């Protein structure tokens, strides 16, 4: 059963886009608000509005709320190639393979980290939404590497706070086209939805702050192996920032890679791997680090680039 909501536009949202403002007011995603606008389910002072129109303080918003969704229940299936790197009563560290999501989402019916862990007999923290219990951070489906999952409630709380407060040390390796100049640098550029393609992201003036640090590890004739540290954790951050500097990840057509180079090195996904996570262990209170080795496809690509 859908319900209608009526609420005033507060001063603090004056001039804000409809999709951004309603996402904040109603606690739903901007994508969902966009769908409501497209269906004519959002009105301002009695007139239907589009997602990009601006609000005026003092006006009234009428929204036909979306029907509540059924909770997604993770499928408990063993995940091929997902290795458990470390486990204790508080945390489980895994090496997530490419093609595996952190947790179930609408539209994704493939393998997930939490489904694989449950199938392998691991108990996860009873905290968070049903489909994301124990999940404190995510990696893209197309990115491999180390992930930590909470096995206890105290670990869930402490790790969520650590990621929120940016005290977790996240280290990635990326192979990008060309040679960045300088070879050690910082990219500080806001990231948001791409203005002409909502299914990807880009550097945009009204995006969220995003900071990426990188340094050269090894230079090849056509590409470079970089070590990357993230201050922030925006969606596709490394891929977007490197593409914006003219050095997209090898094997990443979404963000402008050379498809011929990707084919030559045998890649059908971006060369991006979460190598290491460092954080204060929620049980011992001591600094803890976990590393994940390169999978075979990324190792092969580097060997080809080395010649």
């Amino acid at each position: 059963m859908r319900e209608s909501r009526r609420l005033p536009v507060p001063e603090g949202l004056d001039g804000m886009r409809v999709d951004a403002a309603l996402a904040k007011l109603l606690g739903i995603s901007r994508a969902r608000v966009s769908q409501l606008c497209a269906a004519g389910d959002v009105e301002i002072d009695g007139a239907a509005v589009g997602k990009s129109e601006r609000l005026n303080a003092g006006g009234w918003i009428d929204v036909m709320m979306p029907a509540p969704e059924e909770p997604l229940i993770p499928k408990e299936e063993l995940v091929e190639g997902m290795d458990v790197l470390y486990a204790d009563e508080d945390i489980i560290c895994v090496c997530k393979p490419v093609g595996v999501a952190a947790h179930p989402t609408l539209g994704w019916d493939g393998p997930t980290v939490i489904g694989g862990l449950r199938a392998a007999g691991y108990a996860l923290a009873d905290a968070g939404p049903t489909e994301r219990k124990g999940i404190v951070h995510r990696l893209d489906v197309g990115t491999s590497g180390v992930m930590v999952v909470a096995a206890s409630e105290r670990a869930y709380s402490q790790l969520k706070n650590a990621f929120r407060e940016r005290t977790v040390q996240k280290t990635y390796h990326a192979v990008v086209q060309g040679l960045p100049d300088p070879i050690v640098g910082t990219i500080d550029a806001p990231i948001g939805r791409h203005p002409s393609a909502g299914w990807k992201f880009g550097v945009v003036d009204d995006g969220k702050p995003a900071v990426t640090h990188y340094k050269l590890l090894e230079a090849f004739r056509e590409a470079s192996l970089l070590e990357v540290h993230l201050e922030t954790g925006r969606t596709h951050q490394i891929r977007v920032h490197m593409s914006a500097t003219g050095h997209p990840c090898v094997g990443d057509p979404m963000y402008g890679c050379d498809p011929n180079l990707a084919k030559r090195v045998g890649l059908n996904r971006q060369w991006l791997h979460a190598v290491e996570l460092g954080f204060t262990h929620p049980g011992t209170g001591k600094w803890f680090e976990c590393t994940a080795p390169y999978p075979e496809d990324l190792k092969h690509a580097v060997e080809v680039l080395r010649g």
Side-chain angles (χ1 to χ4, degrees), residues 23-204:
K24 187 181 293 287
L25 282 173
L26 301 174
I28 59 178
S29 69
R30 288 179 66 164
R32 181 58 64 88
V33 176
S34 298
Q35 293 171 354
L36 294 175
C37 290
D41 289 337
V42 180
E43 295 183 353
I44 306 293
D45 294 330
V49 294
K51 65 179 182 180
S52 61
E53 295 189 40
R54 303 284 173 170
L55 296 180
N56 293 315
W60 284 88
I61 306 171
D62 290 285
V63 183
M64 182 60 72
M65 294 293 291
E69 297 174 351
E70 292 294 323
L72 295 169
I73 307 300
K75 291 191 298 184
E76 296 187 5
E77 297 178 354
L78 290 173
V79 175
E80 183 178 356
M82 187 175 79
D83 296 325
V84 174
L85 304 169
Y86 175 87
D88 61 28
E89 64 182 4
D90 289 300
I91 62 173
I92 307 164
C93 294
V94 303
C95 184
K96 186 190 84 66
V98 66
V100 178
H103 58 77
T105 58
L106 289 172
W108 176 256
D109 194 38
T112 65
V113 170
I114 60 172
L117 287 176
R118 286 179 171 177
Y122 288 91
L124 308 181
D126 189 17
T130 300
E131 72 277 12
R132 299 197 298 271
K133 289 192 183 299
I135 293 293
V136 293
H137 73 122
R138 292 176 291 183
L139 291 177
D140 293 341
V141 170
T143 300
S144 56
V146 62
M147 274 187 63
V148 60
V149 180
S152 68
E153 284 71 22
R154 70 175 175 181
Y156 181 86
S157 176
Q158 291 181 37
L159 288 173
K160 288 288 281 187
N161 286 335
F163 278 100
R164 187 180 302 114
E165 296 168 4
R166 302 177 187 172
T167 60
V168 177
Q169 182 176 294
K170 297 175 282 187
T171 305
Y172 292 77
H173 284 182
V175 173
V176 301
Q177 293 179 195
L179 179 66
D181 183 16
I183 59 174
V184 178
T186 295
I187 305 168
D188 186 349
I191 290 176
R193 291 282 181 183
H194 195 282
S196 61
W199 41 268
K200 69 177 185 176
F201 293 79
V203 171
V204 293

